[in-house]
Amino acid sequence: MQTPFPMLVGAIALIISALAWADQSAVNQRQQLFDQLDTKTELMEDALDREQWQRGAELAAELADTVTLLKTLFPETSRGVGRSRKSIWNEWPEFEGRLTRLADDFTAISNTAESGRSAGLDTALENATSSCRSCHMSYRSLW
Ligand code: HEC
């Protein structure tokens, strides 16, 4: 009689490698998006400094989308992987709330820039950029 054992082992190995892949791909994706966040925030600030309101508004809207997407890239299987501290998963509502506020700040920047109003722009910019540093201090490991 043939045993189904080798097939079972094969199936389990497949599942494990799929999980490891999912986990690694989420980590890679979130690191790429954080890099984009960095580059695009600078581009957005340059555009706004030069009073290129339309360009600044577009970049800010894209940044809001990026931050929203980031919320989906912290699966349980990637707990503590990369430079993400484990406390992110222990304090998920707090962490997610910070991302939500950052996305809202970018949306506010986009709306304000689009209407060519500079009132409120500085505050929204200040909120957005200070949230990077503050979240890193709490939730990003140093190495
Ligand atoms: C809610 C928390 C939070 C906010 C807000 C946040 N970050 Fe991060 N950031 C992280 C975490 C966590 C990592 C580590 C990701 C990993 O390696 O798993 C990270 C990583 C990064 C990295 C390194 C990516 C890499 O390849 O290792 C850059 C650059 C970065 N963030 C830029 C920014 C900028 C710019 C802002 C603000 C516009 C920002 N972040 C806002 C939590 C945050």
Side-chain angles (χ1 to χ4, degrees):
M1 194 185 85
Q2 236 192 342
T3 154
F5 191 67
M7 255 172 66
L8 197 66
V9 170
I12 289 170
L14 203 69
I15 291 167
I16 290 173
S17 61
L19 278 178
W21 181 83
D23 152 22
Q24 198 46 50
S25 96
V27 174
N28 287 343
Q29 272 181 284
R30 73 182 176 231
Q31 290 181 339
Q32 268 172 30
L33 288 185
F34 276 121
D35 277 340
Q36 266 182 37
L37 206 60
D38 202 14
T39 325
K40 263 195 198 170
T41 301
E42 279 172 30
L43 290 177
M44 177 197 73
E45 284 178 315
D46 285 351
L48 296 174
D49 279 347
R50 296 194 192 118
E51 305 195 350
Q52 297 169 343
W53 305 122
Q54 191 53 41
R55 169 99 177 117
E58 275 166 25
L59 286 165
E62 287 172 25
L63 281 158
D65 289 344
T66 302
V67 175
T68 303
L69 187 58
L70 270 170
K71 289 193 210 172
T72 65
L73 294 171
F74 290 86
E76 184 60 41
T77 48
S78 71
R79 173 184 279 260
V81 185
R83 289 174 66 188
S84 292
R85 291 199 180 156
K86 292 198 176 78
S87 53
I88 291 173
W89 287 266
N90 300 337
E91 299 159 16
W92 180 253
E94 161 66 22
F95 185 81
E96 189 180 33
R98 284 172 184 253
L99 289 176
T100 303
R101 284 196 296 279
L102 181 56
D104 289 349
D105 288 334
F106 281 129
T107 304
I109 294 169
S110 178
N111 293 339
T112 317
E114 193 138 66
S115 63
R117 281 181 293 128
S118 63
L121 195 58
D122 287 346
T123 318
L125 268 173
E126 176 63 31
N127 287 347
T129 49
S130 65
S131 78
C132 312
R133 205 175 117 77
S134 134
C135 188
H136 292 161
M137 299 225 299
S138 307
Y139 293 106
R140 188 173 73 168
S141 66
L142 295 173
W143 53 85

